[in-house]
Amino acid sequence: MGEDRQNVIIINGNQCAFEPGETILEVARRHDIDIPTLCHLKGATPTGACRVCVVEVEGAASLMASCVTPASAGMVVHTESPKVVAARRLVLELMLASGNHNCTIRGADDGDWTAMQLKVMQEDQAEVLCPVWGDCRLQDLAFRYQATAQRYDRAETPYPQELVNPFIVRDFSRCIRCGRCVQACNEVQVNNAINFGFRGAALKIVAADDRPLRDSDCVFCGECVQACPVGALVEKGVRYRVRPWETTRTRTTCSYCGVGCQLDLHVADGRVVRVTGAEDAAPNYGSLCVKGRFGFDFIHSPERLTKPLVRDGDQLREATWDEALDRVVQGLAAVRDSHGADAVGVLCSARITNEENYLLSKLARAALGTNNIDHCARL
Ligand code: FES
């Protein structure tokens, strides 16, 4: 069946069918044509704030932000024309100059770090460049478009870093005001804890009357951290401790509740150092709660039980699994035989798998003969 010519646009010479209401960006992505974005957050209302996604539309008076421009029949679009590339480079240079973006693309021809980079490191009290070096969308795009930001002086940021929060460091000097964190908080998680505050050069993302996150409605789900394309929002535990290329990722299922959120464990030296939500997988599509994202200390806790313990009088001592399981069998059988099966109860856990909970249900009902089975979310 031939395509409906009414609903076709041409992108870089390719005929691309579109659905009514789709933006140029959506059509391009559906046809595997890459248009870079910065402020665009999947699942949220496009804002057109950053202008990185501009494209040239033949006949249009100016470049257009593809994330907010609806496709219309017959459009002829160029995504990497000289005009587009120059505009993107300019936008990126201005962003690089808007704060402490001290990654190497500032163009140190002699190979040394520049005075600006050294000054920023002093402010950061760190001996390495930006904490998200190698994991920064702005840096990636600066390399791609060879934006060096040497043309503009760096703007000083009037706001100090916010280090008091339990899980998140806010570094306003690295914020590019893309608004992704605001959308992640207000549109994706619907926590409404942060928003834009102040005006002009003083613009800042604020929480609860410009108080730290810990004193606001923030629930530390970390959705904003995952949405931040630069180093303005960083997990406290990983900042300046581990570089992204030192980690490997393992996809797994969160063990905190029965929703089954998919997450990626970032592992360095055999230790989990960071957790991010899997953006391409149901049911959470990148979102996590505070426990799923930040509650992984227990994995390497020295207090964690690694061997079974049995009680001898007032003392607990290590035992083999065979001995411990024998004790359990004897204890349960003794209670059941002397007081009846309903004298026994079984507590499962929301932190084990469905299969394990199913087996416990079988153990309670079929083996022990009781329907006293429940779960405790805190186990
Ligand atoms: Fe379109 Fe930012 S991604 S304006």
Side-chain angles (χ1 to χ4, degrees), residues 101-122 129 148 150 154:
H101 304 291
N102 59 342
C103 47
T104 54
I105 31 70
R106 273 191 81 85
D109 292 337
D110 55 7
D112 289 336
W113 288 348
T114 62
M116 173 270 188
Q117 287 171 323
L118 293 170
K119 184 164 182 284
V120 171
M121 284 161 65
Q122 215 174 14
L129 296 174
T148 62
Q150 286 166 303
R154 176 178 65 109

Side-chain angles (χ1 to χ4, degrees), residues 143-284:
F143 273 104
R144 174 167 164 180
Y145 291 102
Q146 291 296 293
T148 62
Q150 286 166 303
R151 273 199 280 170
Y152 306 102
D153 289 335
R154 176 178 65 109
E156 296 288 342
T157 312
Y159 306 115
Q161 290 172 353
E162 189 175 292
L163 301 165
V164 296
N165 305 309
F167 304 116
I168 299 172
V169 171
R170 297 168 88 197
D171 184 346
F172 301 100
S173 74
R174 290 191 163 92
C175 176
I176 55 170
R177 289 95 170 159
C178 65
R180 281 169 61 101
C181 57
V182 173
Q183 290 192 296
C185 184
N186 297 352
E187 287 193 40
V188 180
Q189 287 282 359
V190 202
N191 286 330
N192 300 316
I194 55 175
N195 216 323
F196 289 98
F198 306 103
R199 294 273 173 176
L203 187 75
K204 179 190 185 190
I205 306 301
V206 295
D209 265 346
D210 200 18
R211 289 197 287 267
L213 288 179
R214 70 167 184 191
D215 301 324
S216 74
D217 289 340
C218 174
V219 296
F220 290 102
C221 65
E223 189 85 18
C224 57
V225 179
Q226 185 150 338
C228 180
V230 290
L233 296 166
V234 180
E235 295 97 335
K236 202 169 191 172
V238 80
R239 191 169 181 263
Y240 287 128
R241 296 208 180 131
V242 184
R243 289 302 198 178
W245 55 86
E246 295 169 342
T247 64
T248 53
R249 287 190 191 208
T250 302
R251 178 71 51 91
T252 189
T253 303
C254 182
S255 60
Y256 273 104
C257 77
V259 172
C261 289
Q262 295 300 292
L263 45 84
D264 289 327
L265 303 177
H266 300 240
V267 179
D269 288 334
R271 298 178 70 83
V272 177
V273 294
R274 185 184 183 208
V275 170
T276 50
E279 297 187 357
D280 56 350
N284 51 314

